[in-house]
Amino acid sequence: SSAAPRARTTVAEDGTFARIREVARDVRDDIGRLYSEPALVRGCFAAVFLQAGNWTFISTFSLFVVKHLQGDPQSIGWINGAGALVTMAVLPWIGRLTDRRGPGAAIRVASIAYVGVYAPLALFPSLPTAALVFSVPAYAALLIGLASAAADIGGVKRRGGGIGVVDGLWAIAT
């Protein structure tokens, strides 16, 4: 028994293209609104350079510890592990700071931390200083502050878009 051929609908007939155009228009409008906010643009601009600097530091950190400070490769693992534990322990505090004082507070703390990270290592190059420097959660504080600011600027309807803009710039910077 042969079944009668089913009527096929094309993508254009079922309204999919119209829906795709509508979603694309909404996304374009959301991105335009987000980028029209000077505070978000400044924050994103700073984020790109701070993140790029962060990854430059991380990429040369292992060589610096082994070649300049005569550390062994195992010490790099311990330093990275300690830094990760400190960051995880501090993240709730950064979140509370952001909730109580606003995203600007986390961004200020992160900016001060970034400045404070490099000065001690330049002045007192040693393995303990390297471990201390690598444990400062400036990256986490900045990411939380900028994501929170983007969410606040975007409002409830555009919160995901604002966070996506910041996270996308972090990805580009890496």
Side-chain angles (χ1 to χ4, degrees), residues 11-80:
V11 174
E13 290 172 348
D14 72 2
T16 302
F17 281 147
R19 180 69 184 134
I20 290 171
R21 282 192 298 275
E22 181 183 328
V23 169
R25 193 173 29 255
D26 288 347
V27 168
R28 184 194 65 221
D29 293 346
D30 286 349
I31 290 173
R33 182 175 179 276
L34 288 168
Y35 280 119
S36 69
E37 298 289 342
L40 182 61
V41 172
R42 283 192 305 272
C44 289
F45 186 74
V48 167
F49 288 102
L50 288 170
Q51 178 65 348
N54 198 48
W55 281 104
T56 301
F57 173 74
I58 289 170
S59 66
T60 58
F61 181 73
S62 298
L63 291 172
F64 178 76
V65 168
V66 172
K67 296 289 185 185
H68 185 70
L69 301 180
Q70 282 73 42
D72 59 25
Q74 188 177 13
S75 63
I76 296 166
W78 286 108
I79 290 171
N80 286 333

Side-chain angles (χ1 to χ4, degrees), residues 78-167:
W78 286 108
I79 290 171
N80 286 333
L85 290 174
V86 169
T87 298
M88 287 186 289
V90 173
L91 282 177
W93 178 81
I94 295 170
R96 282 193 295 278
L97 173 71
T98 303
D99 289 343
R100 289 184 183 143
R101 307 274 177 153
I107 294 169
R108 283 188 296 278
V109 166
S111 300
I112 292 167
Y114 267 111
V115 171
V117 161
Y118 298 108
L121 195 56
L123 296 173
F124 310 106
S126 68
L127 283 174
T129 306
L132 175 69
V133 162
F134 205 77
S135 296
V136 175
Y139 168 84
L142 187 65
L143 182 59
I144 289 170
L146 286 173
S148 296
D152 287 352
I153 289 168
V156 173
K157 186 175 179 185
R158 293 176 176 86
R159 183 161 291 155
I163 294 171
V165 165
V166 172
D167 289 346

